[in-house]
Amino acid sequence: AAAPRAPGLTAPAALSLQFYDEAEARKYTQNSRVVEIQSQMSERAVELLGLPEDRPCLLLDVGCGSGLSGDYISEEGHYWIGMDISPAMLDVAVEREVEGDLLLADVGHGIPFRPGMFDGCISISAVQWLCNADKKSHSPPKRLYRFFSTLYTALARGSRAVLQLYPENSEQLELITSQAMRAGFTGGMVVDYPNSAKAKKFFLCLFVGTSGTLPKGLGTECANEELHQAKFTNERTRFRNVKGKSVKKSRDWILEKKERRRRQGKEVRPDTKYTGRKRRPHF
């Protein structure tokens, strides 16, 4: 694992930033757009973990970087330990006084914690880096298997690992999932907003010891409708024209977020015909 991939970068450009130096680490953490994206993906990853609501949990954050994803974990009342290969990113996390514990490590060498220690694991934009052979001695399949097999051991039975990633292609995605299943995990890929070029996100949702029901991806209801009624609905046109940018603030996005908060037991205002409607400007 490594520092999270900078949004919007192509694969070759992102490779050059695989391990951030001090200047890049600070720039990354101070970018408001990056912070917003990290927070959204962290919220979604924690939601997919399906944690119990009656007690705090101990989570592992793989590729924690400067602690942006850990901030959300702390806000939800949970404890966490973060691992990252970039000293510069961890230095920023220390300066930010994050609440989690930090470990400088290459997860391709394995997860160095005792069996059953964690109630869950999240990872934001990091696991795909294990597919790269940065040294002659690196074998991506072996590094992935070492990561997944030791992660499986470190997680409590019945828990989950949710790994958000940016696969370069279908072959890389197959390599990652096959090594996870070989290590003993069950589960599969959850894809949010599959019809949006920019809002589309991949979450590898893995179960430990039990085969759970794979959660549905956000935006899939619209996707199914579009397949059958593409000529008779405006849904597809709206998502395609904005290229994912306004999906975040669309009516569908607001309704889905409110529904997630209801499932979390939070107080949410009822849905009305005015939900998601823009207000007129005030003079």
Side-chain angles (χ1 to χ4, degrees), residues 66-248:
S66 57
L68 296 178
S69 48
D71 287 343
Y72 180 78
I73 296 175
S74 298
E75 289 174 6
E76 290 296 297
H78 301 297
Y79 303 100
W80 59 279
I81 296 176
M83 298 178 64
D84 202 280
I85 199 172
S86 170
M89 293 294 274
L90 293 179
D91 285 343
V92 175
V94 172
E95 291 179 8
R96 296 179 61 246
E97 298 182 348
V98 297
E99 296 184 20
D101 294 323
L102 305 171
L103 175 64
L104 176 64
D106 178 359
V107 298
H109 296 161
I111 305 297
F113 294 101
R114 63 179 175 79
M117 179 171 174
F118 295 100
D119 300 306
C121 169
I122 70 166
S123 179
I124 306 299
S125 314
V127 174
Q128 72 273 359
W129 294 116
L130 288 174
C131 296
N132 299 329
D134 302 307
K135 300 179 180 178
K136 290 184 179 180
S137 60
H138 282 182
S139 168
K142 290 182 179 179
R143 284 169 58 76
L144 282 165
Y145 179 72
R146 178 67 178 168
F147 164 64
F148 282 118
S149 59
T150 53
L151 176 62
Y152 186 92
T153 301
L155 290 171
R157 289 187 64 84
S159 62
R160 299 181 186 181
V162 177
L163 315 174
Q164 184 275 325
L165 47 88
Y166 290 104
E168 297 292 341
N169 47 50
S170 59
E171 289 78 13
Q172 190 178 90
L173 195 59
E174 175 61 27
L175 173 62
I176 294 172
T177 55
S178 63
Q179 295 304 314
M181 302 308 165
R182 182 184 167 211
F185 285 104
T186 56
M189 193 65 65
V190 176
V191 183
D192 285 352
Y193 304 109
N195 287 338
S196 174
K198 292 188 177 181
K200 186 177 183 179
K201 293 293 183 294
F202 292 87
F203 294 87
L204 182 58
C205 189
L206 303 173
F207 304 100
V208 180
T210 56
S211 297
T213 302
L214 201 63
K216 290 185 178 181
L218 300 180
T220 54
E221 293 82 1
C222 293
N224 292 335
E225 182 180 87
E226 289 157 10
L227 290 176
H228 301 288
Q229 301 182 6
K231 295 182 179 179
F232 307 101
T233 177
N234 292 327
E235 294 289 324
R236 189 177 186 89
T237 302
R238 184 168 73 247
F239 277 87
R240 185 178 63 237
N241 287 347
V242 299
K243 297 182 180 179
K245 288 186 178 179
S246 68
V247 169
K248 176 190 168 188

Side-chain angles (χ1 to χ4, degrees), residues 23-66:
E24 289 295 339
R26 295 181 186 282
K27 186 187 301 183
Y28 184 93
T29 308
Q30 294 171 358
N31 186 311
S32 60
R33 176 62 175 161
V34 169
V35 173
E36 181 183 13
I37 292 174
Q38 287 286 105
S39 178
Q40 291 174 6
M41 293 192 295
S42 301
E43 179 181 358
R44 178 60 171 151
V46 172
E47 178 190 353
L48 291 172
L49 284 179
L51 299 173
E53 299 180 359
D54 57 344
R55 63 178 177 86
C57 297
L58 177 61
L59 305 181
L60 176 64
D61 186 354
V62 171
C64 64
S66 57

